[in-house]
Amino acid sequence: MHSDHSFTILLVDDDPDDIELVREIVRKLHPGITCLAAENGLVAIEMLRVGLNSLPNLVILDLMMPVLNGEQFLEKMKVDPLLKQIPVIVWSTSNYLSQTLIEKYNVFLFQKPGRFSEMEDLLKSILDDTDLSARLVA
């Protein structure tokens, strides 16, 4: 996928185990990718607006979180002219995954896997997907 060491993912998820798992898998698949994390949508918005030197290439977003959930985060992100350019992958264990989110916010939508091997396969397909890769570096 990306040989560029400046590629950054912002993972927005309130589950510390999922955050560590994603970081471990990304390091294994693509050691040059930086994986930042925010424990909820409010922290993520603050990071995107003032806390980072540069914007991430991709946001991976859980829906069900305290403080500011995934959909509330998308509402704030997608009205910001700079932030709305960042591709977002929404994943959740929730049954709330719906076509409405895709249409309203122009996001990619995945059911969050429950097992390590499934999560590794999903992240590999996301990071190696040619069409998505083209959008991520555009």
Side-chain angles (χ1 to χ4, degrees), residues 6-121:
S6 65
F7 192 87
T8 302
I9 295 170
L10 175 58
L11 176 62
V12 187
D13 198 318
D14 64 323
D15 186 331
D17 292 334
D18 282 349
I19 289 172
E20 190 50 43
L21 192 57
V22 169
R23 283 182 162 157
E24 181 182 327
I25 292 169
V26 169
R27 268 193 306 269
K28 176 182 170 189
L29 296 173
H30 296 281
I33 293 178
T34 301
C35 193
L36 305 173
E39 65 269 16
N40 63 57
L42 184 61
V43 171
I45 282 291
E46 290 172 358
M47 287 174 71
L48 290 171
R49 289 187 176 153
V50 296
L52 300 175
N53 292 328
S54 61
L55 294 175
N57 302 86
L58 173 66
V59 172
I60 298 178
L61 176 68
D62 187 21
L63 282 181
M64 307 304 286
M65 295 179 292
V67 185
L68 191 70
N69 69 34
E71 189 163 4
Q72 293 166 328
F73 167 83
L74 285 170
E75 288 172 8
K76 292 184 177 302
M77 181 184 174
K78 293 300 184 173
V79 297
D80 185 301
L82 190 60
L83 301 182
K84 73 179 182 181
Q85 307 297 322
I86 304 168
V88 177
I89 292 176
V90 173
W91 69 356
S92 184
T93 55
S94 167
N95 291 329
Y96 181 68
L97 300 177
S98 73
Q99 194 65 27
T100 307
L101 275 178
I102 296 171
E103 294 165 2
K104 187 173 180 182
Y105 298 111
N106 190 29
V107 297
F108 299 92
L109 204 52
F110 295 95
Q111 186 76 29
K112 189 189 282 188
R115 295 185 7 224
F116 179 88
S117 61
E118 293 169 346
M119 189 173 289
E120 184 174 23
D121 290 345

